[in-house]
Amino acid sequence: MDTVTGGTTLRLRLRRQVEWVPVAALVLAVVWGIAVGTVVDGPNGTAGGIAMSVVGVPIAVLAVSGAGHLVRPLRVRADAEGLTVRLPTWPGRTVPWSAISRVSASPRYVVVEGRAPVGKLPRTCRLRAAYRRLAASEGSDTGEGLCFETQVFDLDPAELLDAIRQYAPVGLTVTDETRQ
């Protein structure tokens, strides 16, 4: 945790057990690139090459996103404006405190529930997708928020909650269930 004038920044690296996923995506992208060359040179080159290229776009996106997590970890900053999330391959987006209804933490995750779309982060980013999955199982009616999973990111929930408590407005509910 880095505390600088006006805010606290946390860098969330991937856990060791999860780091193999981006590495595997990069290896898959390289193998796919070699396979495309072979298919294009073969007897069905035109049709096969087009098909392989179309299929390879999601593989390339996954590989770039995964490499981003290895090179530039996810960053979260709490300050007077709100909670700023900087994804590895996406510009930092701030969720203002007025758009956050509550924050809660358990040993497995920290949940930031929002009243509106959260900081214009992509719907496919890990934090929003995990929140949608969790909200569906817990019956949340907002459908908008962020979920920082401790099994994915090297995260101490108490540390993130401390940073949020330091800058959050008085009316914001912050619940710590990590000790229960």
Side-chain angles (χ1 to χ4, degrees), residues 39-159:
V39 169
V40 169
D41 287 341
N44 298 325
T46 305
I50 292 171
M52 289 284 289
S53 297
V54 170
V55 170
V57 170
I59 294 171
V61 168
L62 179 66
V64 167
S65 176
H69 278 285
L70 292 176
V71 175
R72 184 183 208 175
L74 173 75
R75 287 177 291 184
V76 180
R77 178 179 168 81
D79 58 21
E81 301 296 318
L83 199 61
T84 302
V85 177
R86 173 73 169 88
L87 299 173
T89 56
W90 197 260
R93 301 291 188 206
T94 300
V95 182
W97 293 120
S98 61
I100 298 174
S101 58
R102 73 181 184 98
V103 178
S104 62
S106 73
R108 293 184 56 213
Y109 45 79
V110 175
V111 175
V112 177
E113 245 184 69
R115 291 186 185 99
V118 284
K120 297 182 181 176
L121 292 168
R123 288 187 55 81
T124 56
C125 79
R126 179 73 192 186
L127 304 176
R128 288 190 67 189
Y131 178 81
R132 282 194 311 276
R133 197 173 49 251
L134 182 68
S137 67
E138 292 190 356
S140 172
D141 33 335
T142 66
E144 293 293 340
L146 304 172
C147 179
F148 299 90
E149 300 166 289
T150 60
Q151 67 264 27
V152 174
F153 298 104
D154 191 11
L155 164 70
D156 178 15
E159 189 177 25

Side-chain angles (χ1 to χ4, degrees), residues 26-52:
L26 289 170
V27 169
L28 180 64
V30 169
V31 169
W32 168 80
I34 294 168
V36 167
T38 305
V39 169
V40 169
D41 287 341
N44 298 325
T46 305
I50 292 171
M52 289 284 289

